[in-house]
Amino acid sequence: MILGIGTDLANIDRIAATLDRFGDRFRNRVFTDTEQRKAERRHDVAGTYAKRWAAKEACSKALGTGLRMGIAWRDMAVSNLPTGQPVMQVTGWAQERLAAMTPPGHEAIIHVTLTDDHPWAQAFVVIEARPLPPA
């Protein structure tokens, strides 16, 4: 069962300008240490940050709150499996919200996909509730 769907489109040039203007203050407010290490290793630093920005926005929408009600940017984090597939982890209030949305006897799975084509970065997030296997 689908619990939530979110999408966002971010302008890579706007993220690059924000990085130039605010630097670590912006990075540390929005992105986890893992996300920062990933982005700083990439050729397209701003594009990597923009995709993760879009994923956080999309996730907050899929959670049904947007970036309000206590969800912090760093409560949502994108990492990658060894295959390169992006995955979203939630902590803090985002994790509490996800637990409250998830029906009893189900587990929540967050699906995320990212893409970019300069100057745009886009993310889609789908939150699925799967029945738990019988005990």
Side-chain angles (χ1 to χ4, degrees), residues 1-6 55-56 58-63 71 75-79 81 85-91 93-99 101-102 107-114 123-130:
M1 132 188 14
I2 303 298
L3 298 179
I5 299 172
K56 291 168 186 271
C59 185
S60 72
K61 292 171 185 175
L63 289 168
I71 291 180
D75 285 348
M76 300 165 286
V78 178
S79 61
L81 298 176
Q85 177 184 348
V87 292
M88 176 73 68
Q89 297 88 28
V90 292
T91 58
W93 200 91
Q95 187 177 36
E96 292 174 22
R97 172 68 180 152
L98 181 61
M101 293 171 60
T102 306
E107 65 177 332
I109 311 293
I110 302 175
H111 304 277
V112 60
T113 186
L114 309 171
F124 287 96
V125 170
V126 176
I127 301 175
E128 171 190 11
R130 269 191 208 156

Side-chain angles (χ1 to χ4, degrees), residues 29-135:
R29 179 174 163 253
V30 176
F31 302 101
T32 65
D33 294 341
T34 301
E35 290 172 313
Q36 290 180 49
R37 281 192 302 274
K38 171 80 171 185
E40 297 300 327
R41 286 192 315 258
R42 303 296 296 270
H43 177 298
D44 184 10
V45 173
T48 301
Y49 279 123
K51 285 186 280 190
R52 278 150 179 75
W53 171 280
K56 291 168 186 271
E57 286 274 8
C59 185
S60 72
K61 292 171 185 175
L63 289 168
T65 63
L67 285 160
R68 58 183 175 86
M69 295 177 60
I71 291 180
W73 286 103
R74 291 172 58 103
D75 285 348
M76 300 165 286
V78 178
S79 61
N80 296 85
L81 298 176
T83 61
Q85 177 184 348
V87 292
M88 176 73 68
Q89 297 88 28
V90 292
T91 58
W93 200 91
Q95 187 177 36
E96 292 174 22
R97 172 68 180 152
L98 181 61
M101 293 171 60
T102 306
H106 290 73
E107 65 177 332
I109 311 293
I110 302 175
H111 304 277
V112 60
T113 186
L114 309 171
T115 191
D116 65 293
D117 186 9
H118 196 89
W120 301 108
Q122 186 173 33
F124 287 96
V125 170
V126 176
I127 301 175
E128 171 190 11
R130 269 191 208 156
L132 291 170

